[in-house]
Structure formats: structure tokens, C-alpha cells
Amino acid sequence: MIFHSRDFNLTEKLDYYAAGASVFYGLYYTPIRVFRLEQSRKEQLLNIWTWTCLALYVAHVSYLTFWRWDYTYNMAANVVAGIVQNILWSWFSVTRYRKMHKIWAAWPGLIVAWIVFAMSFELLDFPPVWGMIDAHSLWHLGTVLPTYWWYNFLLKDAQEDMAGERLKA
Ligand SMILES: [Zn+2]
């Protein structure tokens, strides 16, 4: 919000690094949930994955800070990290829905479809309408609903997990 109203070198960097952190964090936790890497027998794999993701993010920020402030590279890195998560969550949705037959199990796949649609505004840029509404503002508008929707999915998923644990106990 600060960057979009006050475009300075510092606010731009903060915006890009924070957006990158959010995308990379998604890349980090998606395989943890999908492949259940939090299980104690997969601890080593989780450790490797944690350090890999940390190194990727540090390398990403270092490249942009010390090498080149490169918009094309930044967009490409985020799109690639985003597509990996999108594929994993879509696959997760299909397999979970087939198993559970609960509509909310399919939410991640539907949210992915929504995000891809909203993201098309990021990739297919156009000049601002009435000098005011540009593609990027519509992208931001498009992220409001999936944030709320996604939170509700995480909640249901965690509740389902807890119910499963109770059955086992
Ligand atoms: Zn923005």
C-alpha cells in the first residue's frame, strides 16, 4: 500500500521483497502440506527443503540487490515459483476430492483457477483506464477474495486433521 502511494527506491524494494517472500513461502509450505513433510519420519527431507528454500530466497534478494534490479527476472522467478505451487495444489485438490467427496477439498484447485485469471492482469498489462485503473490495480482487487477463501480452506483442512487425530487416539 505504501509503495503504491509513495513510489521511492526503498518502498519499491520493500514491496518486491515482501511479495517475493510471500510467494517463496507458498513454495515452501505447499510440498510440506501436500507430501506431509511435517511427519517425524520425514524430518531430514523437511530440513533439506527448509534450507533449500531459504537459500533460494536469499539468492533471489541478493541478485536483485547486489547484481541487477531486473523486473523481467523478478516476474519470471515469481511466476515459476507460483506455477509450481499451483500445479501441486491442483493435483492435491483432485486427489483429495476423489477421496473425500467434500466440495471444500476442491477449493485449492478453484482458488488456483481464480489466481491464474487474476494473474493474467499482471502479465497482460495495459495503459490505465481514465488514467486511474491499471492492470496491476485489478490484480490487487482480484487477490482479496482468494485470501479470505484460502484462509477458510486452511482452517477446514486443519480441523479435518485434528478430527482425524482424535479418531486415532
Ligand atoms: Zn502491487
PDB file of all heavy atoms in Angstrom, residues 95-128:
ATOM      1  N   THR A  95      -7.048 -35.206  -6.103  1.00  0.00           N
ATOM      2  CA  THR A  95      -6.931 -36.472  -5.368  1.00  0.00           C
ATOM      3  C   THR A  95      -7.746 -36.435  -4.071  1.00  0.00           C
ATOM      4  O   THR A  95      -8.413 -37.407  -3.721  1.00  0.00           O
ATOM      5  CB  THR A  95      -5.461 -36.817  -5.053  1.00  0.00           C
ATOM      6  OG1 THR A  95      -4.840 -35.678  -4.475  1.00  0.00           O
ATOM      7  CG2 THR A  95      -4.692 -37.185  -6.300  1.00  0.00           C
ATOM      8  N   ARG A  96      -7.733 -35.284  -3.378  1.00  0.00           N
ATOM      9  CA  ARG A  96      -8.485 -35.182  -2.124  1.00  0.00           C
ATOM     10  C   ARG A  96      -9.984 -35.244  -2.383  1.00  0.00           C
ATOM     11  O   ARG A  96     -10.724 -35.885  -1.643  1.00  0.00           O
ATOM     12  CB  ARG A  96      -8.163 -33.858  -1.401  1.00  0.00           C
ATOM     13  CG  ARG A  96      -6.815 -33.814  -0.762  1.00  0.00           C
ATOM     14  CD  ARG A  96      -6.729 -34.656   0.470  1.00  0.00           C
ATOM     15  NE  ARG A  96      -7.246 -33.975   1.652  1.00  0.00           N
ATOM     16  CZ  ARG A  96      -7.275 -34.512   2.862  1.00  0.00           C
ATOM     17  NH1 ARG A  96      -6.811 -35.727   3.025  1.00  0.00           N
ATOM     18  NH2 ARG A  96      -7.748 -33.839   3.874  1.00  0.00           N
ATOM     19  N   TYR A  97     -10.433 -34.559  -3.434  1.00  0.00           N
ATOM     20  CA  TYR A  97     -11.869 -34.538  -3.726  1.00  0.00           C
ATOM     21  C   TYR A  97     -12.354 -35.946  -4.076  1.00  0.00           C
ATOM     22  O   TYR A  97     -13.415 -36.378  -3.639  1.00  0.00           O
ATOM     23  CB  TYR A  97     -12.186 -33.559  -4.850  1.00  0.00           C
ATOM     24  CG  TYR A  97     -13.662 -33.498  -5.146  1.00  0.00           C
ATOM     25  CD1 TYR A  97     -14.540 -32.866  -4.267  1.00  0.00           C
ATOM     26  CD2 TYR A  97     -14.195 -34.124  -6.268  1.00  0.00           C
ATOM     27  CE1 TYR A  97     -15.902 -32.845  -4.496  1.00  0.00           C
ATOM     28  CE2 TYR A  97     -15.560 -34.106  -6.514  1.00  0.00           C
ATOM     29  CZ  TYR A  97     -16.413 -33.467  -5.622  1.00  0.00           C
ATOM     30  OH  TYR A  97     -17.762 -33.457  -5.849  1.00  0.00           O
ATOM     31  N   ARG A  98     -11.559 -36.666  -4.845  1.00  0.00           N
ATOM     32  CA  ARG A  98     -11.921 -38.039  -5.222  1.00  0.00           C
ATOM     33  C   ARG A  98     -12.055 -38.932  -3.997  1.00  0.00           C
ATOM     34  O   ARG A  98     -12.879 -39.824  -3.948  1.00  0.00           O
ATOM     35  CB  ARG A  98     -10.859 -38.617  -6.148  1.00  0.00           C
ATOM     36  CG  ARG A  98     -11.048 -38.175  -7.585  1.00  0.00           C
ATOM     37  CD  ARG A  98     -10.168 -38.998  -8.492  1.00  0.00           C
ATOM     38  NE  ARG A  98     -10.247 -38.537  -9.857  1.00  0.00           N
ATOM     39  CZ  ARG A  98      -9.225 -38.615 -10.706  1.00  0.00           C
ATOM     40  NH1 ARG A  98      -8.068 -39.117 -10.318  1.00  0.00           N
ATOM     41  NH2 ARG A  98      -9.362 -38.180 -11.943  1.00  0.00           N
ATOM     42  N   LYS A  99     -11.215 -38.663  -2.998  1.00  0.00           N
ATOM     43  CA  LYS A  99     -11.195 -39.491  -1.806  1.00  0.00           C
ATOM     44  C   LYS A  99     -12.299 -39.100  -0.815  1.00  0.00           C
ATOM     45  O   LYS A  99     -12.963 -39.948  -0.240  1.00  0.00           O
ATOM     46  CB  LYS A  99      -9.829 -39.328  -1.126  1.00  0.00           C
ATOM     47  CG  LYS A  99      -9.304 -40.605  -0.480  1.00  0.00           C
ATOM     48  CD  LYS A  99      -7.833 -40.477  -0.160  1.00  0.00           C
ATOM     49  CE  LYS A  99      -7.575 -40.715   1.317  1.00  0.00           C
ATOM     50  NZ  LYS A  99      -6.179 -40.405   1.662  1.00  0.00           N
ATOM     51  N   MET A 100     -12.469 -37.767  -0.621  1.00  0.00           N
ATOM     52  CA  MET A 100     -13.349 -37.291   0.439  1.00  0.00           C
ATOM     53  C   MET A 100     -14.767 -36.977  -0.018  1.00  0.00           C
ATOM     54  O   MET A 100     -15.691 -37.000   0.780  1.00  0.00           O
ATOM     55  CB  MET A 100     -12.774 -36.025   1.078  1.00  0.00           C
ATOM     56  CG  MET A 100     -11.440 -36.213   1.751  1.00  0.00           C
ATOM     57  SD  MET A 100     -10.764 -34.627   2.255  1.00  0.00           S
ATOM     58  CE  MET A 100     -12.023 -34.090   3.409  1.00  0.00           C
ATOM     59  N   HIS A 101     -14.913 -36.605  -1.293  1.00  0.00           N
ATOM     60  CA  HIS A 101     -16.196 -36.164  -1.839  1.00  0.00           C
ATOM     61  C   HIS A 101     -16.777 -34.988  -1.069  1.00  0.00           C
ATOM     62  O   HIS A 101     -17.991 -34.894  -0.890  1.00  0.00           O
ATOM     63  CB  HIS A 101     -17.206 -37.320  -1.908  1.00  0.00           C
ATOM     64  CG  HIS A 101     -16.740 -38.417  -2.804  1.00  0.00           C
ATOM     65  ND1 HIS A 101     -16.709 -38.304  -4.181  1.00  0.00           N
ATOM     66  CD2 HIS A 101     -16.214 -39.629  -2.548  1.00  0.00           C
ATOM     67  CE1 HIS A 101     -16.215 -39.405  -4.703  1.00  0.00           C
ATOM     68  NE2 HIS A 101     -15.885 -40.227  -3.738  1.00  0.00           N
ATOM     69  N   LYS A 102     -15.894 -34.139  -0.556  1.00  0.00           N
ATOM     70  CA  LYS A 102     -16.366 -32.899   0.078  1.00  0.00           C
ATOM     71  C   LYS A 102     -15.944 -31.757  -0.815  1.00  0.00           C
ATOM     72  O   LYS A 102     -14.783 -31.705  -1.236  1.00  0.00           O
ATOM     73  CB  LYS A 102     -15.739 -32.731   1.466  1.00  0.00           C
ATOM     74  CG  LYS A 102     -16.347 -33.657   2.499  1.00  0.00           C
ATOM     75  CD  LYS A 102     -15.700 -33.455   3.854  1.00  0.00           C
ATOM     76  CE  LYS A 102     -16.249 -34.461   4.855  1.00  0.00           C
ATOM     77  NZ  LYS A 102     -15.362 -34.628   5.997  1.00  0.00           N
ATOM     78  N   ILE A 103     -16.870 -30.840  -1.037  1.00  0.00           N
ATOM     79  CA  ILE A 103     -16.617 -29.782  -2.024  1.00  0.00           C
ATOM     80  C   ILE A 103     -15.425 -28.913  -1.609  1.00  0.00           C
ATOM     81  O   ILE A 103     -14.640 -28.478  -2.440  1.00  0.00           O
ATOM     82  CB  ILE A 103     -17.898 -28.955  -2.305  1.00  0.00           C
ATOM     83  CG1 ILE A 103     -17.693 -28.017  -3.506  1.00  0.00           C
ATOM     84  CG2 ILE A 103     -18.361 -28.171  -1.104  1.00  0.00           C
ATOM     85  CD1 ILE A 103     -17.547 -28.712  -4.850  1.00  0.00           C
ATOM     86  N   TRP A 104     -15.250 -28.697  -0.302  1.00  0.00           N
ATOM     87  CA  TRP A 104     -14.149 -27.815   0.123  1.00  0.00           C
ATOM     88  C   TRP A 104     -12.778 -28.410  -0.190  1.00  0.00           C
ATOM     89  O   TRP A 104     -11.783 -27.693  -0.285  1.00  0.00           O
ATOM     90  CB  TRP A 104     -14.270 -27.409   1.593  1.00  0.00           C
ATOM     91  CG  TRP A 104     -14.103 -28.528   2.580  1.00  0.00           C
ATOM     92  CD1 TRP A 104     -15.088 -29.277   3.151  1.00  0.00           C
ATOM     93  CD2 TRP A 104     -12.876 -29.022   3.128  1.00  0.00           C
ATOM     94  NE1 TRP A 104     -14.547 -30.206   3.996  1.00  0.00           N
ATOM     95  CE2 TRP A 104     -13.193 -30.072   4.009  1.00  0.00           C
ATOM     96  CE3 TRP A 104     -11.533 -28.665   2.967  1.00  0.00           C
ATOM     97  CZ2 TRP A 104     -12.222 -30.783   4.710  1.00  0.00           C
ATOM     98  CZ3 TRP A 104     -10.557 -29.368   3.665  1.00  0.00           C
ATOM     99  CH2 TRP A 104     -10.907 -30.408   4.518  1.00  0.00           C
ATOM    100  N   ALA A 105     -12.722 -29.743  -0.384  1.00  0.00           N
ATOM    101  CA  ALA A 105     -11.444 -30.359  -0.751  1.00  0.00           C
ATOM    102  C   ALA A 105     -11.001 -29.891  -2.139  1.00  0.00           C
ATOM    103  O   ALA A 105      -9.816 -29.953  -2.476  1.00  0.00           O
ATOM    104  CB  ALA A 105     -11.571 -31.878  -0.711  1.00  0.00           C
ATOM    105  N   ALA A 106     -11.960 -29.426  -2.924  1.00  0.00           N
ATOM    106  CA  ALA A 106     -11.638 -28.951  -4.280  1.00  0.00           C
ATOM    107  C   ALA A 106     -11.323 -27.453  -4.307  1.00  0.00           C
ATOM    108  O   ALA A 106     -10.921 -26.924  -5.339  1.00  0.00           O
ATOM    109  CB  ALA A 106     -12.800 -29.249  -5.224  1.00  0.00           C
ATOM    110  N   TRP A 107     -11.505 -26.782  -3.157  1.00  0.00           N
ATOM    111  CA  TRP A 107     -11.259 -25.335  -3.123  1.00  0.00           C
ATOM    112  C   TRP A 107      -9.877 -24.918  -3.627  1.00  0.00           C
ATOM    113  O   TRP A 107      -9.776 -23.972  -4.419  1.00  0.00           O
ATOM    114  CB  TRP A 107     -11.482 -24.765  -1.716  1.00  0.00           C
ATOM    115  CG  TRP A 107     -12.931 -24.656  -1.337  1.00  0.00           C
ATOM    116  CD1 TRP A 107     -14.017 -24.949  -2.122  1.00  0.00           C
ATOM    117  CD2 TRP A 107     -13.448 -24.242  -0.068  1.00  0.00           C
ATOM    118  NE1 TRP A 107     -15.170 -24.751  -1.415  1.00  0.00           N
ATOM    119  CE2 TRP A 107     -14.859 -24.316  -0.170  1.00  0.00           C
ATOM    120  CE3 TRP A 107     -12.866 -23.814   1.127  1.00  0.00           C
ATOM    121  CZ2 TRP A 107     -15.686 -23.968   0.906  1.00  0.00           C
ATOM    122  CZ3 TRP A 107     -13.693 -23.466   2.190  1.00  0.00           C
ATOM    123  CH2 TRP A 107     -15.085 -23.540   2.080  1.00  0.00           C
ATOM    124  N   PRO A 108      -8.790 -25.576  -3.190  1.00  0.00           N
ATOM    125  CA  PRO A 108      -7.480 -25.110  -3.666  1.00  0.00           C
ATOM    126  C   PRO A 108      -7.402 -25.042  -5.193  1.00  0.00           C
ATOM    127  O   PRO A 108      -6.854 -24.085  -5.746  1.00  0.00           O
ATOM    128  CB  PRO A 108      -6.496 -26.140  -3.102  1.00  0.00           C
ATOM    129  CG  PRO A 108      -7.175 -26.662  -1.891  1.00  0.00           C
ATOM    130  CD  PRO A 108      -8.637 -26.688  -2.224  1.00  0.00           C
ATOM    131  N   GLY A 109      -7.958 -26.031  -5.873  1.00  0.00           N
ATOM    132  CA  GLY A 109      -7.939 -26.032  -7.343  1.00  0.00           C
ATOM    133  C   GLY A 109      -8.725 -24.860  -7.911  1.00  0.00           C
ATOM    134  O   GLY A 109      -8.309 -24.223  -8.884  1.00  0.00           O
ATOM    135  N   LEU A 110      -9.881 -24.558  -7.272  1.00  0.00           N
ATOM    136  CA  LEU A 110     -10.706 -23.441  -7.743  1.00  0.00           C
ATOM    137  C   LEU A 110     -10.012 -22.114  -7.466  1.00  0.00           C
ATOM    138  O   LEU A 110     -10.064 -21.186  -8.281  1.00  0.00           O
ATOM    139  CB  LEU A 110     -12.084 -23.474  -7.059  1.00  0.00           C
ATOM    140  CG  LEU A 110     -12.922 -24.734  -7.345  1.00  0.00           C
ATOM    141  CD1 LEU A 110     -14.146 -24.797  -6.437  1.00  0.00           C
ATOM    142  CD2 LEU A 110     -13.356 -24.762  -8.808  1.00  0.00           C
ATOM    143  N   ILE A 111      -9.341 -22.031  -6.316  1.00  0.00           N
ATOM    144  CA  ILE A 111      -8.608 -20.808  -5.963  1.00  0.00           C
ATOM    145  C   ILE A 111      -7.449 -20.608  -6.943  1.00  0.00           C
ATOM    146  O   ILE A 111      -7.176 -19.487  -7.381  1.00  0.00           O
ATOM    147  CB  ILE A 111      -8.135 -20.854  -4.482  1.00  0.00           C
ATOM    148  CG1 ILE A 111      -9.356 -20.857  -3.558  1.00  0.00           C
ATOM    149  CG2 ILE A 111      -7.211 -19.677  -4.169  1.00  0.00           C
ATOM    150  CD1 ILE A 111      -9.056 -21.204  -2.098  1.00  0.00           C
ATOM    151  N   VAL A 112      -6.788 -21.710  -7.305  1.00  0.00           N
ATOM    152  CA  VAL A 112      -5.710 -21.634  -8.296  1.00  0.00           C
ATOM    153  C   VAL A 112      -6.246 -21.052  -9.608  1.00  0.00           C
ATOM    154  O   VAL A 112      -5.646 -20.149 -10.191  1.00  0.00           O
ATOM    155  CB  VAL A 112      -5.066 -23.023  -8.545  1.00  0.00           C
ATOM    156  CG1 VAL A 112      -4.270 -23.041  -9.833  1.00  0.00           C
ATOM    157  CG2 VAL A 112      -4.168 -23.404  -7.372  1.00  0.00           C
ATOM    158  N   ALA A 113      -7.415 -21.537 -10.042  1.00  0.00           N
ATOM    159  CA  ALA A 113      -8.002 -21.044 -11.296  1.00  0.00           C
ATOM    160  C   ALA A 113      -8.257 -19.540 -11.197  1.00  0.00           C
ATOM    161  O   ALA A 113      -7.973 -18.778 -12.132  1.00  0.00           O
ATOM    162  CB  ALA A 113      -9.303 -21.795 -11.595  1.00  0.00           C
ATOM    163  N   TRP A 114      -8.769 -19.112 -10.047  1.00  0.00           N
ATOM    164  CA  TRP A 114      -9.043 -17.691  -9.805  1.00  0.00           C
ATOM    165  C   TRP A 114      -7.736 -16.871  -9.879  1.00  0.00           C
ATOM    166  O   TRP A 114      -7.680 -15.806 -10.511  1.00  0.00           O
ATOM    167  CB  TRP A 114      -9.701 -17.524  -8.436  1.00  0.00           C
ATOM    168  CG  TRP A 114     -10.072 -16.096  -8.114  1.00  0.00           C
ATOM    169  CD1 TRP A 114      -9.215 -15.087  -7.807  1.00  0.00           C
ATOM    170  CD2 TRP A 114     -11.389 -15.545  -8.094  1.00  0.00           C
ATOM    171  NE1 TRP A 114      -9.900 -13.924  -7.582  1.00  0.00           N
ATOM    172  CE2 TRP A 114     -11.241 -14.168  -7.752  1.00  0.00           C
ATOM    173  CE3 TRP A 114     -12.668 -16.051  -8.313  1.00  0.00           C
ATOM    174  CZ2 TRP A 114     -12.338 -13.325  -7.630  1.00  0.00           C
ATOM    175  CZ3 TRP A 114     -13.752 -15.200  -8.182  1.00  0.00           C
ATOM    176  CH2 TRP A 114     -13.579 -13.860  -7.854  1.00  0.00           C
ATOM    177  N   ILE A 115      -6.696 -17.376  -9.195  1.00  0.00           N
ATOM    178  CA  ILE A 115      -5.412 -16.673  -9.145  1.00  0.00           C
ATOM    179  C   ILE A 115      -4.807 -16.555 -10.548  1.00  0.00           C
ATOM    180  O   ILE A 115      -4.269 -15.503 -10.919  1.00  0.00           O
ATOM    181  CB  ILE A 115      -4.426 -17.391  -8.181  1.00  0.00           C
ATOM    182  CG1 ILE A 115      -4.892 -17.270  -6.722  1.00  0.00           C
ATOM    183  CG2 ILE A 115      -3.007 -16.859  -8.331  1.00  0.00           C
ATOM    184  CD1 ILE A 115      -4.736 -15.886  -6.105  1.00  0.00           C
ATOM    185  N   VAL A 116      -4.915 -17.637 -11.328  1.00  0.00           N
ATOM    186  CA  VAL A 116      -4.367 -17.611 -12.690  1.00  0.00           C
ATOM    187  C   VAL A 116      -5.090 -16.537 -13.503  1.00  0.00           C
ATOM    188  O   VAL A 116      -4.469 -15.765 -14.236  1.00  0.00           O
ATOM    189  CB  VAL A 116      -4.484 -19.006 -13.361  1.00  0.00           C
ATOM    190  CG1 VAL A 116      -4.194 -18.922 -14.852  1.00  0.00           C
ATOM    191  CG2 VAL A 116      -3.525 -19.979 -12.689  1.00  0.00           C
ATOM    192  N   PHE A 117      -6.429 -16.459 -13.322  1.00  0.00           N
ATOM    193  CA  PHE A 117      -7.206 -15.438 -14.024  1.00  0.00           C
ATOM    194  C   PHE A 117      -6.749 -14.033 -13.594  1.00  0.00           C
ATOM    195  O   PHE A 117      -6.473 -13.171 -14.428  1.00  0.00           O
ATOM    196  CB  PHE A 117      -8.700 -15.636 -13.740  1.00  0.00           C
ATOM    197  CG  PHE A 117      -9.554 -14.487 -14.196  1.00  0.00           C
ATOM    198  CD1 PHE A 117      -9.780 -14.257 -15.553  1.00  0.00           C
ATOM    199  CD2 PHE A 117     -10.118 -13.618 -13.265  1.00  0.00           C
ATOM    200  CE1 PHE A 117     -10.554 -13.186 -15.968  1.00  0.00           C
ATOM    201  CE2 PHE A 117     -10.900 -12.540 -13.674  1.00  0.00           C
ATOM    202  CZ  PHE A 117     -11.121 -12.334 -15.028  1.00  0.00           C
ATOM    203  N   ALA A 118      -6.618 -13.824 -12.265  1.00  0.00           N
ATOM    204  CA  ALA A 118      -6.205 -12.511 -11.751  1.00  0.00           C
ATOM    205  C   ALA A 118      -4.776 -12.192 -12.198  1.00  0.00           C
ATOM    206  O   ALA A 118      -4.453 -11.043 -12.522  1.00  0.00           O
ATOM    207  CB  ALA A 118      -6.314 -12.474 -10.228  1.00  0.00           C
ATOM    208  N   MET A 119      -3.938 -13.235 -12.218  1.00  0.00           N
ATOM    209  CA  MET A 119      -2.533 -13.028 -12.583  1.00  0.00           C
ATOM    210  C   MET A 119      -2.380 -12.626 -14.045  1.00  0.00           C
ATOM    211  O   MET A 119      -1.384 -12.002 -14.415  1.00  0.00           O
ATOM    212  CB  MET A 119      -1.719 -14.286 -12.295  1.00  0.00           C
ATOM    213  CG  MET A 119      -0.276 -13.998 -11.935  1.00  0.00           C
ATOM    214  SD  MET A 119       0.515 -15.449 -11.245  1.00  0.00           S
ATOM    215  CE  MET A 119       0.594 -16.499 -12.664  1.00  0.00           C
ATOM    216  N   SER A 120      -3.370 -12.970 -14.868  1.00  0.00           N
ATOM    217  CA  SER A 120      -3.283 -12.582 -16.283  1.00  0.00           C
ATOM    218  C   SER A 120      -3.228 -11.052 -16.395  1.00  0.00           C
ATOM    219  O   SER A 120      -2.644 -10.519 -17.333  1.00  0.00           O
ATOM    220  CB  SER A 120      -4.448 -13.167 -17.074  1.00  0.00           C
ATOM    221  OG  SER A 120      -5.663 -12.682 -16.573  1.00  0.00           O
ATOM    222  N   PHE A 121      -3.778 -10.349 -15.392  1.00  0.00           N
ATOM    223  CA  PHE A 121      -3.671  -8.877 -15.391  1.00  0.00           C
ATOM    224  C   PHE A 121      -2.220  -8.429 -15.172  1.00  0.00           C
ATOM    225  O   PHE A 121      -1.802  -7.380 -15.648  1.00  0.00           O
ATOM    226  CB  PHE A 121      -4.561  -8.268 -14.299  1.00  0.00           C
ATOM    227  CG  PHE A 121      -6.020  -8.293 -14.643  1.00  0.00           C
ATOM    228  CD1 PHE A 121      -6.881  -9.157 -13.989  1.00  0.00           C
ATOM    229  CD2 PHE A 121      -6.529  -7.456 -15.625  1.00  0.00           C
ATOM    230  CE1 PHE A 121      -8.231  -9.184 -14.309  1.00  0.00           C
ATOM    231  CE2 PHE A 121      -7.880  -7.476 -15.943  1.00  0.00           C
ATOM    232  CZ  PHE A 121      -8.737  -8.352 -15.288  1.00  0.00           C
ATOM    233  N   GLU A 122      -1.458  -9.238 -14.400  1.00  0.00           N
ATOM    234  CA  GLU A 122      -0.054  -8.912 -14.162  1.00  0.00           C
ATOM    235  C   GLU A 122       0.768  -9.105 -15.428  1.00  0.00           C
ATOM    236  O   GLU A 122       1.730  -8.386 -15.683  1.00  0.00           O
ATOM    237  CB  GLU A 122       0.521  -9.828 -13.065  1.00  0.00           C
ATOM    238  CG  GLU A 122       0.110  -9.478 -11.669  1.00  0.00           C
ATOM    239  CD  GLU A 122       0.822  -8.247 -11.149  1.00  0.00           C
ATOM    240  OE1 GLU A 122       0.352  -7.140 -11.467  1.00  0.00           O
ATOM    241  OE2 GLU A 122       1.824  -8.399 -10.437  1.00  0.00           O
ATOM    242  N   LEU A 123       0.394 -10.132 -16.183  1.00  0.00           N
ATOM    243  CA  LEU A 123       1.214 -10.500 -17.345  1.00  0.00           C
ATOM    244  C   LEU A 123       0.781  -9.745 -18.604  1.00  0.00           C
ATOM    245  O   LEU A 123       1.606  -9.412 -19.446  1.00  0.00           O
ATOM    246  CB  LEU A 123       1.149 -12.014 -17.569  1.00  0.00           C
ATOM    247  CG  LEU A 123       1.628 -12.826 -16.345  1.00  0.00           C
ATOM    248  CD1 LEU A 123       1.418 -14.315 -16.563  1.00  0.00           C
ATOM    249  CD2 LEU A 123       3.091 -12.547 -16.027  1.00  0.00           C
ATOM    250  N   LEU A 124      -0.544  -9.482 -18.727  1.00  0.00           N
ATOM    251  CA  LEU A 124      -1.036  -8.775 -19.921  1.00  0.00           C
ATOM    252  C   LEU A 124      -1.380  -7.335 -19.522  1.00  0.00           C
ATOM    253  O   LEU A 124      -2.538  -6.983 -19.343  1.00  0.00           O
ATOM    254  CB  LEU A 124      -2.272  -9.496 -20.494  1.00  0.00           C
ATOM    255  CG  LEU A 124      -2.114 -11.016 -20.686  1.00  0.00           C
ATOM    256  CD1 LEU A 124      -3.471 -11.663 -20.948  1.00  0.00           C
ATOM    257  CD2 LEU A 124      -1.158 -11.330 -21.831  1.00  0.00           C
ATOM    258  N   ASP A 125      -0.350  -6.558 -19.361  1.00  0.00           N
ATOM    259  CA  ASP A 125      -0.505  -5.175 -18.875  1.00  0.00           C
ATOM    260  C   ASP A 125      -1.173  -4.295 -19.934  1.00  0.00           C
ATOM    261  O   ASP A 125      -1.041  -4.545 -21.120  1.00  0.00           O
ATOM    262  CB  ASP A 125       0.892  -4.619 -18.552  1.00  0.00           C
ATOM    263  CG  ASP A 125       0.827  -3.481 -17.550  1.00  0.00           C
ATOM    264  OD1 ASP A 125      -0.262  -3.239 -16.988  1.00  0.00           O
ATOM    265  OD2 ASP A 125       1.874  -2.842 -17.333  1.00  0.00           O
ATOM    266  N   PHE A 126      -1.920  -3.277 -19.500  1.00  0.00           N
ATOM    267  CA  PHE A 126      -2.493  -2.299 -20.440  1.00  0.00           C
ATOM    268  C   PHE A 126      -2.444  -0.910 -19.807  1.00  0.00           C
ATOM    269  O   PHE A 126      -2.322  -0.792 -18.580  1.00  0.00           O
ATOM    270  CB  PHE A 126      -3.934  -2.685 -20.819  1.00  0.00           C
ATOM    271  CG  PHE A 126      -4.867  -2.813 -19.638  1.00  0.00           C
ATOM    272  CD1 PHE A 126      -5.454  -1.686 -19.053  1.00  0.00           C
ATOM    273  CD2 PHE A 126      -5.144  -4.069 -19.088  1.00  0.00           C
ATOM    274  CE1 PHE A 126      -6.306  -1.799 -17.968  1.00  0.00           C
ATOM    275  CE2 PHE A 126      -5.988  -4.190 -17.990  1.00  0.00           C
ATOM    276  CZ  PHE A 126      -6.573  -3.055 -17.440  1.00  0.00           C
ATOM    277  N   PRO A 127      -2.526   0.153 -20.630  1.00  0.00           N
ATOM    278  CA  PRO A 127      -2.459   1.518 -20.058  1.00  0.00           C
ATOM    279  C   PRO A 127      -3.674   1.788 -19.171  1.00  0.00           C
ATOM    280  O   PRO A 127      -4.742   1.231 -19.412  1.00  0.00           O
ATOM    281  CB  PRO A 127      -2.488   2.438 -21.285  1.00  0.00           C
ATOM    282  CG  PRO A 127      -2.402   1.572 -22.482  1.00  0.00           C
ATOM    283  CD  PRO A 127      -2.677   0.159 -22.081  1.00  0.00           C
ATOM    284  N   PRO A 128      -3.523   2.627 -18.138  1.00  0.00           N
ATOM    285  CA  PRO A 128      -4.625   2.877 -17.197  1.00  0.00           C
ATOM    286  C   PRO A 128      -5.868   3.440 -17.887  1.00  0.00           C
ATOM    287  O   PRO A 128      -5.767   4.320 -18.734  1.00  0.00           O
ATOM    288  CB  PRO A 128      -4.045   3.926 -16.242  1.00  0.00           C
ATOM    289  CG  PRO A 128      -2.577   3.887 -16.430  1.00  0.00           C
ATOM    290  CD  PRO A 128      -2.312   3.369 -17.810  1.00  0.00           C
TER     291      PRO A 128
END
